[in-house]
């Protein structure tokens, strides 16, 4: 029984990623989100995990990571996507020195933990590490399909 549920879950996840997960634009009016308009952009990366598997550019899903630093040296990490299965994430790392792009490492993996992606195992997780003098000062994984997984799990639990 558990094997059937897991298979259904994985099949649903693959289909959501391959189809494009219904792209949407976001306007976030949450007052807890820090406005980074005037902050220094240190790092930016955008990937499209399904671009090789869809035919229309309108179906492309984009995952974006932007890292800023303000005048007080707080590091502000923003993660966003045009997928309706992801809500914008922002977190702040208190720090007392300036960082550079070289201090940041973002490793992309699939939902199953692989660094090599394919149609049925697409990139879904950003492992964001920030270093200072070779020491990790922050490390966090952001799952870009978490909300989609919650929907599938809720559907399974209702049956």
């Amino acid at each position: 029984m558990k094997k059937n549920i897991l298979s259904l879950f994985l099949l649903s996840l693959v289909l959501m990623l391959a189809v494009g997960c219904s792209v949407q634009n976001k306007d976030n009016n949450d007052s807890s989100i820090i406005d980074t308009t005037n902050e220094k952009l240190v790092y930016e990366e955008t990937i499209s995990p399904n671009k090789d598997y869809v035919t229309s550019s309108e179906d492309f899903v984009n995952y974006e990571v932007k890292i800023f630093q303000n005048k007080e040296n707080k590091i502000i990490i923003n993660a966003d996507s045009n997928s309706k299965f992801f809500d914008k994430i922002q977190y702040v790392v208190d720090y007392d020195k300036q960082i550079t792009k070289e201090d940041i490492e973002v490793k992309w993996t699939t939902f199953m933990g692989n660094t090599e992606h394919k149609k049925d195992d697409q990139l879904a997780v950003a492992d964001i590490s920030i270093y200072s003098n070779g020491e990790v000062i922050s490390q966090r994984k952001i799952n870009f399909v978490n909300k989609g997984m919650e929907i599938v799990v809720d559907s399974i639990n209702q049956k």
Side-chain angles (χ1 to χ4, degrees):
M1 178 67 175
K2 287 184 181 180
K3 201 173 205 178
N4 289 338
I5 291 173
L6 180 60
S7 295
L8 177 64
F9 169 73
L10 290 175
L11 178 62
S12 299
L13 179 63
V14 167
L15 289 174
M16 286 186 305
L17 290 173
V19 171
C21 302
S22 272
V23 177
Q24 74 173 11
N25 292 323
K26 295 186 184 211
D27 291 321
N28 196 331
N29 295 324
D30 187 350
S31 62
S32 65
I33 299 293
I34 298 170
D35 180 13
T36 54
T37 305
N38 296 319
E39 306 304 346
K40 177 183 171 190
L41 179 63
V42 180
Y43 180 92
E44 177 178 21
E45 183 173 8
T46 302
I47 68 162
S48 179
N50 70 341
K51 73 177 177 183
D52 296 333
Y53 313 113
V54 295
T55 55
S56 171
S57 62
E58 294 172 356
D59 293 330
F60 284 177
V61 172
N62 292 312
Y63 301 152
E64 177 182 75
V65 173
K66 288 185 177 182
I67 301 175
F68 300 86
Q69 192 165 33
N70 67 15
K71 292 175 183 162
E72 292 82 35
N73 291 324
K74 287 186 185 222
I75 303 166
I76 305 158
I77 298 88
N78 290 338
D80 203 359
S81 175
N82 62 339
S83 168
K84 71 177 181 179
F85 294 108
F86 184 77
D87 292 326
K88 183 175 185 173
I89 293 174
Q90 182 181 79
Y91 65 97
V92 177
V93 176
D94 288 323
Y95 197 57
D96 60 353
K97 298 178 185 132
Q98 286 288 307
I99 61 167
T100 66
K101 185 176 182 176
E102 289 73 30
D103 296 320
I104 299 166
E105 179 180 50
V106 178
K107 291 182 184 175
W108 293 93
T109 61
T110 67
F111 181 71
M112 302 304 286
N114 298 312
T115 55
E116 297 296 322
H117 63 94
K118 49 190 173 183
K119 186 173 185 175
D120 62 348
D121 192 20
Q122 296 177 19
L123 297 175
V125 178
D127 185 357
I128 302 168
S129 300
I130 302 173
Y131 298 88
S132 178
N133 297 322
E135 298 289 323
V136 176
I137 60 171
S138 174
Q139 185 171 26
R140 185 173 290 189
K141 289 185 183 214
I142 297 177
N143 182 339
F144 282 86
V145 295
N146 193 34
K147 191 173 177 183
M149 292 182 341
E150 291 170 1
I151 291 169
V152 172
V153 170
D154 286 347
S155 298
I156 292 170
N157 288 337
Q158 290 177 359
K159 294 189 182 220

